Amino acid sequence: MSRRIEARFAELRRAGRAGLVTFLVAGDPDMTTFEEILAGLPAAGADIIEIGMPFSDPMADGPSVQAGYLRALEAGTKLRRILPAVRRFRARDDETPIVLMGYYNPIWNYGRLQFLEDARAAGVDGLIVVDLPPEEDAELCLPARERDLAFIRLATPTTDDARLPKVLANSSGFLYYVSITGITGAAAPVPTLVAEAVARIRARTDLPIAVGFGIREPAQAAAIARHADAAVVGSALVDLVARHLDPEGRATPRLVPAVHDKVRALAAAIAGVNRS
Amino acid sequence: MTARPNSFRAGPDENGHFGIYGGRFVAETLMPLILELEQAYGEAKTDPAFRAELEGWFRDYVGRPSPLYFAERLTDHLGGARIYFKRDELNHTGAHKINNCIGQILLARRMGKTRIIAETGAGQHGVATATVAARFGMECVVYMGERDIERQQPNVFRMRLLGAEVRPVGSGSKTLKDAMNEALRDWVTNVETTFYLIGSVAGPHPYPAMVRDFQSVIGEETRRQILEKEGRLPDVLVAAVGGGSNAMGLFHPFLDEEAVRIIAVEAAGLGIDTGKHAAAMTAGRPGVLHGSRSYLMQDEDGQIVEPHSISAGLDYPGIGPEHAWLKDMGRIEVTAVTDRQALDAFALCSRLEGILPALEPAHALARVIELAPTLSRDTILVVNLCGRGDKDIYTVAEAMGVRL
């Protein structure tokens, strides 16, 4: 439900700090390990949890996330197995917002309205569907909003002032500003350009603004947190999963703590930024 | 499904939809580019100067019109319909792909773009793109799956000779679909300078309509030529479909001629029931990939399945959205032939007509071989010979157990 997202940003505002949004791939490297990571994310400092739904042809993602999707698919991850994992998380944590991110074909294949019903019932709060621009709002965005699921839209450096109103029109939850033209995990964002873009968007919406793509290290996250309401870190966490596999591709004991340690470091850096 | 429309040639609508198919399923970064492209193409299309320029290039550089050739020995051998070949294999670069490339690079120049990217499977579209990029003095990067690079070495070398950079794609199945993913990733990264020259009637709107328009020269010429030779329209059109651009180019000008039977031939690979095929319309379901909704080969979870065909140009898990719509409307018949049938057709055509067909039109010929004997001798059949087979001799040799 989108109210968890609203409540979380209200809380962050009261605390005078930006949030940390973490992205990991569902079922990477296997569902059990993923659920262990997931369970510990709030305590490690994740304010909002984004979960990638694996797709065989992720055309907006870089090598790290592509590899994560592939590992998850090889481990047998299916869309219908992701929602129960969210439900199990929700049984223990009723506050941390969960956003599912992915591509449209698995959702359309699942049955788009059924998917919305099941996602809501499992405790999902919002959706980011990379290949559904405003021109295709009738597909999923409008039905999602009718069911009180936030439909979080991406704005990019190519979204100019003429187009921005169209992107904002049916957006809800928060706006995800893609800090570079490119794929996930590629070039690092330039803080001054991000600051300008965030200011430009803020003049036109009351939605919180999260910034992502290319943010890997605590210092970068802190630089972004000076301007944005939240920083999104994805590829760097997915890379940590990749680095803690044994030669057969199975999780090693250090994997889960390594991800949580990184999240803690990112959260601490963001918390150190005074936004008042 | 839905009522028969007044015209089968009116699509797509303003949002790029052909019925439920087509659309613009792309990342936000690309949306402004696609809208800009749509506007630029809309203006160019109605500009007589652009049309005249295009026709000049078709005539003097591509070598159009391509002949419509009566395949007398094949006709006699099969003992049925009168078979004509639309000889787009005689175009510069040896396939129909150049028609579209000339059109799009003229548009790229008009839009002030300086860098061309493309995806390629068999390499024919890559060669055609590298060719026009060389001629128009633009930087050119062609994405090609590592597996396709292995089986299409001559075309890889050709592209390099033409000054293009061929970037191997090692992700996914390492074939055409992955090359297209990688080209899209390049495009979102280099939006300012780059024009994405898509090779088939696939991708987000306006590509399916734009590529169709550039390829429709095939069908328009065929119409004129058959009227000259036979004094009437053909009874049957046959073309192979991978993404579907040669087929759409032949079919589109005839869609509203109710008496013309239209047959699209997919690649059945090792056989539909083996799962190793590329027959999206025969055995797939609607889904969304590479910017549009169409028939797709996918598993029960909506993950894209790796296709198989002996023909690298047909080895794609989807099909252009307009074909999907025409299939659902019952306007085109869709059939599939196996690798084996295509190889047999390749051999027969080579020996009887002295023409080595590419393995793509060899699929269409395989269907003609089945069909022609069942049709009367006054039936007129046109098959699109959309590419020449020189590029495929290594594949054919391997299938025959011959070492070159």
Side-chain angles (χ1 to χ4, degrees):
Chain A
M1 284 176 292
S2 54
R3 69 160 176 78
R4 280 193 205 99
I5 298 175
E6 286 162 30
R8 179 52 45 98
F9 277 106
E11 210 177 286
L12 289 167
R13 261 194 305 279
R14 282 195 300 276
R17 67 175 182 94
L20 172 64
V21 182
T22 59
F23 170 93
L24 283 143
V25 173
D28 176 24
D30 60 79
M31 198 52 92
T32 309
T33 307
F34 170 73
E35 289 197 55
E36 260 182 71
I37 299 174
L38 190 61
L41 284 176
D47 295 299
I48 294 177
I49 296 173
E50 245 183 59
I51 298 176
M53 299 178 282
F55 182 47
S56 54
D57 293 78
M59 59 196 188
D61 282 295
S64 302
V65 176
Q66 285 177 46
Y69 281 169
L70 213 58
R71 286 192 299 271
L73 290 172
E74 275 164 13
T77 307
K78 312 265 184 228
L79 190 44
R80 62 172 193 278
R81 292 188 55 204
I82 298 173
L83 296 178
V86 174
R87 185 178 299 115
R88 289 188 285 272
F89 174 89
R90 208 32 102 215
R92 291 184 307 267
D93 181 326
D94 195 33
E95 288 172 3
T96 309
I98 294 231
V99 173
L100 297 183
M101 179 163 186
Y103 294 80
Y104 188 41
N105 195 55
I107 296 172
W108 155 264
N109 176 77
Y110 187 101
R112 60 193 174 108
L113 300 182
Q114 189 63 52
F115 170 78
L116 293 173
E117 297 295 339
D118 293 353
R120 191 186 133 93
V124 170
D125 303 289
L127 301 173
I128 301 175
V129 185
V130 180
D131 50 356
L132 284 179
E135 281 72 8
E136 304 291 349
D137 268 356
E139 296 281 339
L140 199 68
C141 172
L142 301 179
R145 293 196 58 180
E146 279 165 23
R147 288 161 180 79
D148 194 28
L149 281 166
F151 199 83
I152 295 147
R153 192 98 70 196
L154 278 66
T156 75
T158 60
T159 313
D160 61 15
D161 285 340
R163 182 159 173 84
L164 195 53
K166 184 151 190 147
V167 170
L168 291 169
N170 293 316
S171 289
S172 51
F174 57 92
L175 189 81
Y176 187 144
Y177 181 68
V178 175
S179 56
I180 52 163
T181 56
I183 50 180
T184 54
V190 179
T192 50
L193 295 181
V194 170
E196 279 169 33
V198 168
R200 183 164 67 87
I201 297 167
R202 220 186 276 292
R204 290 168 186 266
T205 181
D206 294 330
L207 284 175
I209 301 167
V211 173
F213 278 44
I215 304 172
R216 305 187 69 90
E217 296 307 325
Q220 287 175 306
I224 295 298
R226 262 178 260 283
H227 311 290
D229 299 306
V232 188
V233 179
S235 296
L237 300 177
V238 177
D239 279 344
L240 271 182
V241 173
R243 284 217 297 276
H244 290 85
L245 300 174
D246 69 17
E248 275 78 53
R250 287 174 308 222
T252 60
R254 275 294 302 153
L255 191 156
V256 176
V259 173
H260 290 157
D261 288 348
K262 178 89 181 187
V263 172
R264 257 187 292 278
L266 291 161
I270 289 173
V273 175
N274 185 355
R275 304 186 77 230
S276 50
Chain B
M1 272 190 97
T2 27
R4 192 182 172 87
N6 292 328
S7 169
F8 287 106
R9 305 185 64 205
D13 68 17
E14 69 278 12
N15 293 313
H17 293 128
F18 302 93
I20 67 162
Y21 302 109
R24 285 179 285 217
F25 296 90
V26 296
E28 176 59 28
T29 311
L30 293 182
M31 267 318 295
L33 282 86
I34 284 171
L35 294 171
E36 184 196 358
L37 177 64
E38 185 185 349
Q39 194 188 351
Y41 177 58
E43 287 164 12
K45 196 168 61 170
T46 52
D47 179 354
F50 183 80
R51 190 73 226 172
E53 197 179 15
L54 181 64
E55 279 165 10
W57 285 94
F58 276 170
R59 186 185 60 237
D60 300 335
Y61 192 69
V62 177
R64 304 209 71 93
S66 69
L68 185 69
Y69 161 75
F70 176 51
E72 188 179 4
R73 293 197 71 212
L74 186 64
T75 297
D76 288 347
H77 178 81
L78 296 173
R82 293 171 64 76
I83 300 163
Y84 282 88
F85 291 172
K86 179 57 175 166
R87 298 201 54 192
D88 257 52
E89 103 280 10
L90 290 176
N91 293 340
H92 180 41
T93 72
H96 71 290
K97 293 290 184 186
I98 190 94
N99 303 331
N100 166 52
C101 289
I102 284 282
Q104 286 197 47
I105 204 152
L106 287 173
L107 188 60
R109 190 175 66 174
R110 204 178 150 103
M111 293 173 72
K113 302 290 182 182
T114 54
R115 179 173 178 268
I116 301 292
I117 57 170
E119 81 295 332
T120 196
Q124 290 305 95
H125 173 58
V127 167
T129 304
T131 298
V132 298
R135 177 58 187 80
F136 286 78
M138 293 197 202
E139 182 190 346
C140 180
V141 174
V142 178
Y143 289 92
M144 189 168 184
E146 284 174 359
R147 260 183 52 204
D148 289 337
I149 286 181
E150 261 169 49
R151 53 182 174 173
Q152 300 288 343
Q153 273 301 324
N155 272 345
V156 174
F157 188 55
R158 234 169 247 145
M159 286 184 266
R160 290 188 173 136
L161 288 174
L162 290 160
E165 180 193 345
V166 180
R167 284 195 193 158
V169 177
S171 58
S173 58
K174 306 178 176 60
T175 59
L176 179 55
K177 80 175 175 75
D178 309 286
M180 199 152 176
N181 290 333
E182 215 51 44
L184 285 162
R185 289 178 189 125
D186 180 312
W187 204 21
V188 300
T189 311
N190 301 295
V191 290
E192 289 297 325
T193 56
T194 299
F195 187 99
Y196 182 15
L197 209 162
I198 293 184
S200 197
V201 286
H205 179 63
Y207 283 100
M210 178 171 71
V211 176
R212 171 200 72 199
D213 292 347
F214 290 138
Q215 291 293 1
S216 288
V217 66
I218 300 172
E220 285 155 11
E221 286 175 6
T222 300
R223 192 186 171 98
R224 276 198 308 276
Q225 290 165 324
I226 200 74
L227 285 173
E228 272 168 31
K229 286 178 192 289
E230 295 275 357
R232 65 180 184 89
L233 294 181
D235 301 294
V236 186
L237 301 175
V238 185
V241 291
S245 71
N246 89 81
M248 192 54 72
L250 176 66
F251 297 168
H252 198 259
F254 293 96
L255 288 176
D256 285 334
E257 303 294 347
E258 273 185 58
V260 179
R261 182 178 170 193
I262 300 180
I263 303 171
V265 185
E266 294 192 304
L270 303 179
I272 297 291
D273 49 2
T274 66
K276 301 253 179 237
H277 60 78
M281 288 191 286
T282 302
R285 285 178 287 122
V288 175
L289 180 70
H290 295 152
S292 59
R293 176 152 48 222
S294 190
Y295 280 91
L296 274 183
M297 292 174 54
Q298 53 186 321
D299 69 12
E300 79 290 346
D301 190 43
Q303 308 297 335
I304 308 309
V305 170
E306 292 180 23
H308 164 83
S309 170
I310 192 166
S311 149
L314 302 182
D315 206 349
Y316 181 68
I319 175 73
E322 193 167 10
H323 283 291
W325 178 71
L326 290 169
K327 172 197 168 3
D328 282 6
M329 298 304 296
R331 180 61 190 99
I332 62 172
E333 287 173 45
V334 178
T335 60
V337 304
T338 62
D339 290 352
R340 183 72 258 162
Q341 288 175 285
L343 286 164
D344 291 346
F346 177 95
L348 189 70
C349 179
S350 302
R351 299 235 170 169
L352 287 180
E353 295 293 347
I355 296 171
L356 298 182
L359 284 171
E360 292 80 18
H363 283 71
L365 287 167
R367 178 64 188 135
V368 170
I369 290 167
E370 290 176 335
L371 183 66
T374 70
L375 301 172
S376 69
R377 283 169 187 271
D378 58 358
T379 305
I380 301 171
L381 183 155
V382 177
V383 57
N384 198 2
L385 212 77
C386 61
R388 65 176 183 226
D390 308 50
K391 71 178 172 65
D392 291 318
I393 57 171
Y394 299 95
T395 308
V396 173
E398 197 185 317
M400 291 169 67
V402 175
R403 284 187 64 163
L404 294 184

